[in-house]
Amino acid sequence: MGAAHWNAAALGSQLDRLWPGLAVEIVDATGSTNTDLVERARAAAGAARPEDGVSVRRSVESAAFGAAPSFDTADARPDEPHFTPCLRVAEQQNGGRGRQGRSWLSERGASLTFSLALPLVRTDLSGLSLAIGVALADALEPRAARPRIGLKWPNDLWLLDAPGRGRKLGGVLIETVPLGRQRIAVIGVGLNVLALAQPADVASGYAGLHELDPEATAPALLERVAAPLVDAVRTFERAGFAPFRERYAARDLLSAQRVRTTQPDLPEGLAAGIDADGALVVERPDGRFVRVSSGEVSVRLGGPPAKTPC
């Protein structure tokens, strides 16, 4: 199909106004757009300071809820290592990754898979994956009184079939690479255009955006979500998760639902929303509230929703 099919030049001009210097790349096929950009960021950092070594923080949502590393938030100096911000889109991925190493494949025309790599100076990335989910959902389904697109903490989009029930529509994977006084955030997004089966273990089943819009195509969806995502990162860089909290609550799939977690002291409980830092709040059977602040803790719907008083 190529860049012209994706209207890459026009998209690049639009995004450059939001984030100057942001490049748009369209590739026919690759293993993983996230891996491509993480390796590019590692090369930039390694070339600048090879003696320091370069580390990658995988799944920023799994660690950023806790203490974040300390960085000087001053603007990057002219002698700082350089990285060109980039939106990289793949027609097809054969090595895409989800959380906890799960695979996420894409087939030509059936999925939208891309990664957005941007340099951030903000040290606390708590709730970034949730903010990205909000931006995606609002761009795909704006002004919905009763949203069909729900958000499952910490990084999944679902198509809702009933309160607390639905099928996986897409997901977000965020990885970061330190680069001088900044950190490159590589934000990977996978969205199902058609509801094709994925190899990952998802008992809920899969949904496709064609169920909301039968005319949906991957290029049209990219055009719809790209600018809101860049704008969301700008907002998050300035103010953190706070501007997204209310919008997340409106689409919170887990709210008031019984959940099971792999956290040793919290086998199950009642989801009670998201706190100011983007952590999941769960009420234990004994009435105590616990913050679940690691995306590596698996959270699953655990049964019928709780009954609410009449």
Side-chain angles (χ1 to χ4, degrees):
M1 294 183 181
H5 175 79
W6 290 83
N7 204 16
L11 182 61
S13 296
Q14 179 188 22
L15 298 182
D16 185 72
R17 291 192 291 271
L18 295 173
W19 198 294
L22 199 161
V24 175
E25 300 175 354
I26 311 293
V27 297
D28 181 70
T30 190
S32 162
T33 54
N34 250 45
T35 298
D36 294 345
L37 293 180
V38 164
E39 290 181 350
R40 191 178 301 176
R42 293 182 66 180
R49 297 185 300 174
E51 72 281 2
D52 289 349
V54 182
S55 62
V56 176
R57 172 170 296 160
R58 185 161 295 168
S59 292
V60 70
E61 71 275 10
S62 71
F65 292 131
S70 176
F71 289 93
D72 187 341
T73 57
D75 290 338
R77 300 176 307 208
D79 60 346
E80 291 268 322
H82 176 72
F83 179 86
T84 300
C86 182
L87 173 70
R88 185 170 174 84
V89 185
E91 297 255 9
Q92 186 172 10
Q93 282 193 153
N94 50 43
R97 293 171 291 115
R99 287 182 58 238
Q100 299 177 323
R102 297 187 181 98
S103 59
W104 183 273
L105 303 184
S106 69
E107 296 191 24
R108 202 177 305 275
S111 305
L112 170 61
T113 51
F114 66 89
S115 296
L116 177 66
L118 298 172
L120 303 180
V121 295
R122 183 179 183 86
T123 59
D124 183 4
L125 301 183
S126 304
L128 177 57
S129 67
L130 280 66
I132 296 300
V134 168
L136 286 168
D138 285 356
L140 294 168
E141 186 192 32
R143 300 181 298 278
R146 294 185 176 181
R148 287 289 315 279
I149 298 179
L151 298 171
K152 180 177 178 290
W153 186 91
N155 62 352
D156 286 346
L157 287 83
W158 280 34
L159 184 65
L160 301 182
D161 297 318
R165 293 294 179 267
R167 291 160 290 134
K168 185 168 180 176
L169 189 65
V172 176
L173 174 69
I174 301 178
E175 301 175 273
T176 65
V177 177
L179 184 70
R181 300 186 180 197
Q182 302 179 87
R183 182 168 285 275
I184 306 301
V186 180
I187 302 164
V189 175
L191 295 170
N192 297 328
V193 180
L194 305 177
L196 300 182
Q198 293 281 346
D201 177 20
V202 177
S204 67
Y206 287 88
L209 285 161
H210 75 286
E211 297 179 57
L212 293 178
D213 177 7
E215 304 300 319
T217 65
L221 292 171
L222 177 67
E223 187 174 357
R224 194 184 303 178
V225 304
L229 281 188
V230 173
D231 187 61
V233 176
R234 278 286 191 205
T235 300
F236 186 91
E237 171 85 323
R238 182 180 65 253
F241 179 62
F244 302 91
R245 187 180 181 186
E246 184 176 344
R247 291 155 60 195
Y248 188 95
R251 297 183 182 271
D252 186 357
L253 173 76
L254 299 182
S255 181
Q257 302 294 317
R258 296 197 180 282
V259 297
R260 298 190 182 101
T261 87
T262 55
Q263 189 163 299
D265 63 342
L266 187 63
E268 75 172 27
L270 194 67
I274 305 298
D275 75 3
D277 295 323
L280 176 67
V281 179
V282 179
E283 183 180 4
R284 289 166 42 109
D286 62 10
R288 291 197 300 120
F289 290 88
V290 178
R291 296 173 73 253
V292 180
S293 57
S294 170
E296 297 305 320
V297 174
S298 178
V299 177
R300 293 179 178 271
L301 290 164
K307 293 181 180 180
T308 55
C310 297

